[in-house]
């Protein structure tokens, strides 16, 4: 049973750490995603400051993802990951709640269409 748990830990390690790295690099450094501009822009910063904040956050996310990948056995780092993800969700709730509402509306429409197909 212990060997099986290692597989789950490794799977979680790869998914979570590579998600941080991917979002830090592709969404914030390589090409600043429109949603990222919307989030930082809604805080009232100028375009230049908003871009700097977004790119700095990208560097931080890459570093954090690498730390999670390398130090995946450290429970405090995993706990910090949970807090960081909750903080990011809270930021979306406060700054752009319509994003979550919009996703929920799309979800409901898809459920309705799915249910209509199988009637």
């Amino acid at each position: 049973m212990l060997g099986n748990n290692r597989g789950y830990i490794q799977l979680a390690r790869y998914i979570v750490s590579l998600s941080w790295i991917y979002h830090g690099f592709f969404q914030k450094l390589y090409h600043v995603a429109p949603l990222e501009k919307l989030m930082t822009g809604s805080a009232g910063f100028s375009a230049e400051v908003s871009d700097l904040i977004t790119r700095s956050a990208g560097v931080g996310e890459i570093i954090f993802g690498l730390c999670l990948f390398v130090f995946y056995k450290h429970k405090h780092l995993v706990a910090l990951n949970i807090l960081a993800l909750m903080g990011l969700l809270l930021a979306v709730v406060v700054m752009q709640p319509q994003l979550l509402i919009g996703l929920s509306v799309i979800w409901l429409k898809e459920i309705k269409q799915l249910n209509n197909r199988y009637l």
Side-chain angles (χ1 to χ4, degrees), residues 13-110:
R13 171 191 183 197
Y14 280 96
I15 290 172
V16 174
S17 64
L18 293 177
S19 292
W20 279 102
I21 293 166
Y22 172 84
H23 283 280
F25 182 75
F26 287 104
Q27 303 293 314
K28 294 177 179 77
L29 293 178
Y30 181 71
H31 171 73
V32 178
L35 186 57
E36 297 295 339
K37 289 180 184 179
L38 177 68
M39 290 294 294
T40 54
S42 67
F45 297 111
S46 68
E48 295 82 19
V49 172
S50 181
D51 188 61
L52 179 63
I53 291 170
T54 301
R55 293 186 185 280
S56 298
V59 171
E61 288 180 13
I62 291 169
I63 292 169
F64 188 64
L66 290 171
C67 287
L68 280 171
F69 188 80
V70 173
F71 303 112
Y72 67 96
K73 293 181 182 180
H74 293 252
K75 66 180 181 180
H76 292 89
L77 191 58
V78 176
L80 181 60
N81 171 63
I82 294 168
L83 291 174
L85 291 173
M86 289 176 15
L88 289 171
L89 179 60
L90 182 62
V92 172
V93 168
V94 170
M95 298 173 73
Q96 296 294 328
Q98 72 274 14
L99 295 175
L100 296 176
I101 295 167
L103 287 173
S104 297
V105 169
I106 292 169
W107 187 0
L108 283 174
K109 284 184 176 183
E110 289 298 316

